[in-house]
Amino acid sequence: MRVEPPVPADALAAIRAPLESAGAVRADAPLLQPLNLLLDLAGEAMRARLFVVQAEGGAEACLRPDFTVAIARGHLDSGKAEGRYLYEGTAFRAASAADRPEEFLQVGLELFAPADGPTEAADAEIAGLAWRSALAGGRDDLTLRLGDVGLFGPFIESLALADSLAARLTRVAGRPRLLQAELARVDEAAQMQGQPQGGTLARILSGLSEAEAGALLEEVWALAGVEPVGGRGPAEIAARLVRKAEAAQAPALTAEQAAAIRAFMAIEDAPQAALAQVAGLAGKRNTALKAALAAWDVRLAALAKVADPARMRFSPALGHAFDYYDGLTFEVTSAALGADRPVAVGGRYDGLLARLGGRVPARAVGCMVRPWRAYAGGEA
């Protein structure tokens, strides 16, 4: 495993300092994390990036790829209504290039609060802290890239889509790869018109209850002499097949609707200019979008106090590897490192708490900084 070089102590202290100023308590996370949970949050494509381990006869686990999910689970276990947590430690991901580290240091901050009141101040605080922390590393080529997964839902409403299609698109709002797959169906629909889609087994399973679908899949495995490998059971696999069948049989986008979504996803400009383009695509009568755009005026005014607006960019489709983000998203990128190696990332993930079993609606926003990338003498 390739290990990231250490950051000099004085540089690391400078990078850590803005996050330490936020009044958070120190937190840690278990080195081993449940694999199935992380795959549910990021999709099977993430498996290739994880270091998977499995005890004989036990469930699969992985070395922690980040801290956010584990910190959120710890907060829920505490029973507290609110909390601020600062963490620092190593994370592990298989690198996509031979010269990149697979064990690396992360410093981050997670903020949890009750689900009442506005979120703009907390959003701006966390994004501003990440910017200040990244900037403290000494690089002079940084850009604060902003996005908002939450804008996609109101935008979709303006397209008058079928309810099932609108819901499916909204679910993948923060994952551009899955959105592109939905857009590709526009071209495929013309070629496959009149032909059954989704696979015979998936269509059969879609007519059964979850328990019946799982039992049938087990029977098919037994007849074929297939021995399942990994931690996913027949009910979970059957549910995924059913969702694929339903997606294949559901209404597809029209060419005009697909063009509007592509235009939305392609927006990237200075924040105010980009937000004006979003408003233009959605039309003037979308009240939900108007409110969301007004909230961005508040965030940007607060961020302008800590970051030069000339170094900000806005792309509404900015997403991250994990799909739990449902509002603000942001990255701090370096011109030298490129967009695929961000110095810092973060965003709002209110819905994750419910997915992890939280019973009380709550708010959550956080950030993570890679000190070796922030350090001017570090990753190149």
Side-chain angles (χ1 to χ4, degrees), residues 21 53 94 171 197 250-251 284 303 325 336 356 364 366 370:
S21 72
V53 297
R171 281 198 299 270
Q197 297 180 43
K284 297 180 179 179
L303 280 171
Y325 292 98
L356 293 176
R370 294 277 298 269

Side-chain angles (χ1 to χ4, degrees), residues 47-227:
R47 182 185 284 267
R49 300 287 312 279
L50 303 177
F51 288 97
V52 178
V53 297
Q54 182 177 23
E56 185 174 354
E60 287 182 303
C62 64
L63 297 179
R64 63 187 177 211
D66 78 347
F67 284 75
T68 299
V69 173
I71 297 295
R73 293 173 70 197
H75 172 71
L76 290 174
D77 290 342
S78 75
K80 296 177 181 178
E82 57 187 311
R84 288 171 174 249
Y85 305 94
L86 174 69
Y87 64 82
E88 180 176 333
T90 52
F92 307 82
R93 291 191 202 177
S96 56
D99 60 342
R100 296 187 186 177
E102 296 172 311
E103 177 181 332
F104 48 85
L105 182 66
Q106 291 185 340
V107 182
L109 181 70
E110 309 294 339
L111 188 159
F112 304 95
D116 54 5
T119 62
E120 295 85 357
D123 288 351
E125 178 190 4
I126 292 295
L129 288 170
W131 171 257
R132 289 170 51 203
S133 180
L135 206 62
R139 290 188 183 271
D140 60 3
D141 63 346
L142 300 181
T143 297
L144 177 58
R145 299 184 64 223
L146 302 163
D148 190 347
V149 177
L151 291 178
F152 193 73
F155 168 71
I156 286 294
E157 288 179 15
S158 71
L159 301 181
L161 304 177
D163 290 344
S164 60
L165 178 56
R168 190 167 68 253
L169 288 170
T170 302
R171 281 198 299 270
V172 298
R175 302 178 69 182
R177 181 181 60 83
L178 296 183
L179 267 178
Q180 292 291 357
E182 189 63 46
L183 294 173
R185 291 184 64 220
V186 177
D187 301 324
E188 294 171 1
Q191 300 173 10
M192 302 294 291
Q193 190 169 7
Q195 300 182 36
Q197 297 180 43
T200 301
L201 177 58
R203 291 197 304 276
I204 293 172
L205 293 175
S206 66
L208 304 176
S209 69
E210 184 174 318
E212 291 171 332
L216 178 58
L217 191 56
E218 280 191 285
E219 184 177 342
V220 172
W221 285 347
L223 289 172
V226 173
E227 184 69 29

Side-chain angles (χ1 to χ4, degrees), residues 62 113 128 165 168 179 200 243-244 262 265 283 319 331 359 377:
C62 64
L165 178 56
R168 190 167 68 253
L179 267 178
T200 301
R243 287 197 294 270
K244 288 186 177 182
R262 287 191 177 101
M265 294 174 65
E331 294 180 347
R359 298 181 180 180

